[in-house]
């Protein structure tokens, strides 16, 4: 009996109906390995692996990957969009007000009236995005010294 292996980035792309170009494979791998990276950071990482790729091509690929559900776009208010590979679950984010660091927060729990929409206005709600704001440990420590 053989152990099943996770699909490669190329297999995931093809499974989503997308072409598995070298740039898209490198981009998906980078997003899955990284934290919450911006398009320019991702473009640099893809260039290191594949050579030249334009920032516009990276944006187009991110749009396709997001549309296919392979990548999640996170856009905290007042900040640039970031991309992550953690998809398919209900998690939230915490953002540092000082340096802009972003981290995952598992699903909110406890009794908080704001977690249930008071009025859905006829919408069928299937997801909630919660963004917590504060100071990361590094920024918090630098302010207290």
């Amino acid at each position: 009996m053989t152990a099943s292996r996770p699909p490669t980035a190329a297999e995931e792309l093809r499974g989503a109906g997308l072409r598995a170009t070298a740039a898209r494979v490198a981009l998906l791998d980078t997003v899955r390995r990284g934290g919450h990276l911006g398009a320019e950071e991702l473009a640099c990482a893809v260039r290191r692996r594949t050579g030249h790729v334009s920032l516009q091509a990276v944006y187009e690929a991110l749009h396709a990957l997001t549309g296919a559900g392979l990548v999640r776009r996170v856009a905290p208010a007042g900040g640039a969009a970031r991309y992550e590979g953690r998809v398919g679950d209900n998690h939230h984010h915490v953002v540092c007000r000082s340096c802009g660091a972003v981290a995952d927060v598992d699903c909110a729990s406890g009794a908080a009236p704001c977690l249930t929409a008071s009025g859905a206005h006829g919408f069928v709600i299937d997801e909630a995005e919660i963004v917590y704001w504060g100071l990361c440990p590094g920024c918090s420590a630098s302010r207290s010294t």
Side-chain angles (χ1 to χ4, degrees):
M1 185 158 107
T2 59
S4 64
R5 63 168 177 76
T8 65
E11 291 168 340
E12 287 186 78
L13 287 163
R14 288 187 199 102
L18 299 173
R19 289 183 331 137
T21 65
R24 282 184 177 172
V25 168
L27 181 59
L28 185 55
D29 279 340
T30 303
V31 170
R32 294 272 166 84
R33 285 190 181 100
H36 301 84
L37 303 173
E40 291 189 17
E41 295 169 291
L42 290 167
C44 289
V46 171
R47 287 182 192 122
R48 284 192 297 273
R49 285 185 55 177
T50 65
H52 178 75
V53 64
S54 71
L55 185 58
Q56 181 62 36
V58 169
Y59 274 112
E60 290 170 3
L62 286 168
H63 181 73
L65 294 174
T66 301
L70 298 174
V71 168
R72 183 175 178 187
R73 183 178 187 269
V74 179
R82 311 272 186 102
Y83 298 87
E84 68 176 339
R86 186 175 170 184
V87 296
D89 69 346
N90 187 25
H91 73 278
H92 311 296
H93 297 94
V94 60
V95 180
C96 179
R97 288 186 189 279
S98 182
C99 71
V102 179
D104 289 337
V105 175
D106 287 328
C107 191
S109 61
C114 64
L115 297 179
T116 302
S118 61
H121 304 281
F123 285 74
V124 176
I125 297 173
D126 61 8
E127 182 179 7
E129 285 190 25
I130 297 170
V131 177
Y132 300 97
W133 294 88
L135 292 177
C136 70
C139 291
S140 186
S142 69
R143 286 195 176 180
S144 64
T145 55

